Amino acid sequence: MKNLSRLNPYFLKYKWHLILGILFVTGSNYYGILIPQKIREALDLVQNEIQSLKSADPALQSGLYERLSQTLLWFALIVTGYVILKGLLMYAMRQSLIVMSRLIEYDMRKEIFNHLQQLDQSFYKTHKTGDIMARISEDVSKVRNYIGPGLLYGINLVTLFAMTIYAMLKVDVELTIYTLLPLPILSISIYYVSNLINVKSTLIQQQLGKLNSTAQEAYSGIRVIKSYVKEDWFVKYFQGESEEFKKRALSLAGVEAWFQPLMILLIALSTLLVVIVGGHRVYEGSLTAGNIAEFILYVNMLTWPVTAIGWIASVVQEAEASQARINELMDIKPAIINTNHSVYDIRGDIEFRNVSFAYPGVDIPALSNVSFKISKGQKLAILGKTASGKSTIGDLLLRIYDIQHGEILIDGKNIKDHNLAVLRNKIAYVPQDVFLFSDTVSSNISFGVADADDLEIKEHAGYAAVADDIIRLPSGFDTLVGERGVSLSGGQKQRISIARALLKKPDILILDDALSAVDTTTEQHIMQHFNAALADKTVIMITHRANNLLNYDKIIVLDKGTITEEGTHDELIQKGGFYAAVYEQQLVQENL
Ligand SMILES: Nc1ncnc2c1ncn2[C@@H]1O[C@H](COP(=O)(O)OP(=O)(O)O)[C@@H](O)[C@H]1O
Ligand SMILES: [Mg+2]
């Protein structure tokens, strides 16, 4: 129960739900207990009256009979009243306890989601999406199962047991002991059966997850599958997995089939004992027939709670395991910590001083001893082969990771001393792998700006040379893109992403190969806007093209994480290295 103690603050927060819930449970059980007692009274009354009726003067019989039926009607009304009260209190108990569990579930999900938003790339690198999703959905549900039904039946069990056994003992101690004898066997066997059911359900869930992802892959990869004529192979594979699912489901059904008969058998045993032992007592004259009926009703009342013991035990066990996984997640501290909370503008001076950096869990450094400096308004181009560390520079400027050696200075101040929110708000970064949300084009463009109006959105789409493309879409700027919308070309996505970045009116703009899928004419168009509108902004262009459309103040060439060339366009052409080679090759291609 150590892990579940993390839930205590929630119970404290919703203490009134809990306290009222306990009161309602107790009240409902109190009226429940009164019912068998009233029925016993009624039965005993009938038995006695029948005796006196038989021996009475025939002239008086109909009068006595009349009186008896009226009394019985009263009993019936009283029992009905108890049942209604019990029902109302049960309703109130569910309203307080189950509602509490839903409120706590909501709080937990919100907190976990918030926490996940705080965590950084290094966390997402080491944790699978499916695993994270499972914690926020399944694990929270399992804990909710304990807080809601688990706790409810637990409290119900304790109060009902205490009251029923007290009432039984008052009637006959020995009979009570005989009646209760089979019940522990019942709850232990239910515990084992429930555990078995849980294990089997988990296996089914896993297989279902596999089926789902197989199906999803088949749909999203349908073009590849068809072009490689792999349809039959996929169908066979899916059939195999479905077969396994069926096997597991049938195995669960087999265990579940035991549940009911086992319960009925043991209850019948209890009832049998009541009749045999109680019958002797009635014969001796120490109990009445009404007592037997009363006891049988008690046994019936105890059945469900006793069954629930086993169930509660396995629910608590599962919740404990789930809460452990949630706690583990919640205890992970973000690696990037913000210490500055003031709000200010960024000028745009950038300096790398002997920066070395290796990704978490990787030995080979992505950058080694990199130094360069650009001032506000300057334009920097970064070139290099793939895996030379270009994108890493972009990641580091947004402080997605912290470096191990050296210093990154922005406006002369160490990046670690900047307000992270200011930093990320003032720098616009167009990543290499463009991501668009399943939303309208217009919402995708205005993603970084809460109060952008339509005119601004259209204007900036124009700057990114994508407005004409968007207008031609089925619903223009309101077209849905992404998974449930139209599919866009790589170049269109890149330009929408650029529009999104420009709309932020950033102080520093970083483009990571963001024009790779855009043709040269369109690139020139975009660059014209950059030259005009971003004259006083710092721009870093990670690119594989060696043109000088942006009049770069500085160009650096990276190779295996180190700077191998540095200078202006003319200087690097003069130098005749990597840059010059790329440039020459490009000229040849353009002439072709
Ligand atoms: N998230 C990451 N985790 C581990 N290694 C990475 C990660 N991103 C990049 N790398 C590695 O760091 C090196 C530099 O990568 P990157 O900066 O993306 O190169 P480029 O953008 O020049 O192609 C490569 O060896 C790459 O494999
Ligand atoms: Mg890259």
Side-chain angles (χ1 to χ4, degrees), residues 125 359 362 366 385-392 401 432:
K125 272 267 154 315
Y359 281 96
V362 180
K385 298 188 192 118
T386 41
S388 56
K390 303 183 296 292
S391 298
T392 305
Y401 300 96
Q432 198 168 11

Side-chain angles (χ1 to χ4, degrees), residues 19 21 32 65 94 104-105 108 137 174 180 204 275 317 321 338 352 384 402-403 414 416 418 445 521 552 578:
I19 292 171
Y65 186 77
R94 294 194 75 87
I104 294 181
E105 179 187 29
M108 282 179 81
S137 61
E174 205 182 325
L180 296 182
I204 290 186
V275 175
Q317 258 185 356
N338 186 29
F352 270 52
D402 276 337
I403 53 172
N414 193 315
K416 290 182 185 169
H418 273 285
I445 294 179
T521 334
Y552 296 114
F578 178 84

Side-chain angles (χ1 to χ4, degrees), residues 382 384 386 390-391 430-434 464 489-498 511-524 526-527 530 541-547 549 552 586 589:
I382 303 176
T386 41
K390 303 183 296 292
S391 298
V430 184
Q432 198 168 11
D433 42 352
V434 176
S489 76
Q492 285 169 331
K493 284 191 211 161
Q494 282 187 336
R495 281 171 287 147
I496 288 176
S497 230
I498 293 173
L511 290 113
D512 189 355
D513 220 1
L515 295 165
S516 59
V518 171
D519 62 69
T520 349
T521 334
T522 315
E523 183 180 11
Q524 272 167 3
I526 298 173
M527 287 305 158
F530 278 17
M541 281 279 275
I542 296 166
T543 176
H544 62 275
R545 287 188 190 145
N547 57 40
L549 294 171
Y552 296 114
Q586 232 169 255
Q589 270 171 2

